Amino acid sequence: MQDGTFTSAGHLHETCRGDAYARDCPTRQLLDRIGDKWSVLILLLLGEEEMRFSRLKQRIDGISQKMLSHTLRSLERDGLLTRHPVATVPVTVSYRITPLGRDLLGALRMMIDWAETRMSEVAAAQARFDRERVPA
Amino acid sequence: MQDGTFTSAGHLHETCRGDAYARDCPTRQLLDRIGDKWSVLILLLLGEEEMRFSRLKQRIDGISQKMLSHTLRSLERDGLLTRHPVATVPVTVSYRITPLGRDLLGALRMMIDWAETRMSEVAAAQARFDRERVPA
DNA sequence: CTGGATCCCACGCGATACTG
DNA sequence: CAGTATCGCGTGGGATCCAG
């Protein structure tokens, strides 16, 4: 339960004139939140459709129930998605992206598109780099 | 520790289409690379202008020389930026973003814009969440 | 000035077991 | 089904010292 450990004890920095490189800048904050291993994937899925816990777990290859749980709670806290429990016999809970989250998703998707079309070039660059710079 | 990952030799790209949640998807790979604490900030700065090591270090609040060094090398390996050593007396090295990197940057900037305009809403959502869910 | 090598700790995250 | 609680490890990343 100590997930929200954002001490941020640092005091305000002098100039941040629109630049996003100071500690307390929005950019850093965003990166701190969705820069983890699973947030983007979850938002991506919920962008497609509302989804239940178990469904998310089975669609996201390799996520543990602990991390799914933690990440969902974190995203809910950030107002990027909402939680909808249904009092059926075995309780079911579905998650839905919020307008705020959907808006962010628009930006994220451009990143994803880049990944799908250009990651091969990255792989090639890596191979080249490793070949030239003595691999030993 | 590898579960039944359908690694069909040849075009495993197809299966990922629209389903970027498998382990070997471009999306995951990208996230693994630039999902760290500093990559995005560095790309953002180099998107503005070519820059030297020391300059980057002073502009990015809080980065250690070790991490700057590591991240730069990693980004260079990925083909997102290039390194340009100048044989002056005390060696100077400048870094320049590549077309590939600049292209990614376009997508990243949308994310940054979102952060600058909407992070306040996130903060508000957090405050609300923490108030309702007994902070103890 | 650039950046490698080391030491070391915090914590992200996975594995497992338990509950309502 | 949808979580929570606990334990443990791997590693991201900061601090510091060293070198070309």
Side-chain angles (χ1 to χ4, degrees), chain B residues 37-50:
Chain B
K37 202 172 179 181
W38 306 110
S39 293
V40 173
L41 279 323
I42 292 176
L43 285 176
L44 223 46
L45 272 175
L46 294 183
E48 287 178 15
E49 58 177 325
E50 174 178 352

Side-chain angles (χ1 to χ4, degrees), chain A residues 3 30-45 60-64 66-68 70-72 74-75 108 111-112, chain B residues 1 3 20-37:
Chain A
D3 199 66
L30 176 64
L31 257 22
D32 278 351
R33 307 203 162 281
I34 66 161
D36 62 277
K37 201 172 177 180
W38 307 109
S39 292
V40 173
L41 278 325
I42 291 176
L43 285 176
L44 223 47
L45 271 175
I60 301 177
D61 190 21
I63 195 173
S64 65
K66 172 185 161 184
M67 286 318 294
L68 178 54
H70 273 200
T71 311
L72 283 170
S74 174
L75 292 172
L108 293 182
M111 220 179 61
I112 307 309
Chain B
M1 42 85 80
D3 51 276
Y21 318 110
R23 278 186 209 283
D24 56 348
C25 254
T27 299
R28 296 277 191 108
Q29 293 172 25
L30 175 65
L31 257 22
D32 279 350
R33 308 206 161 277
I34 66 162
D36 62 278
K37 202 172 179 181

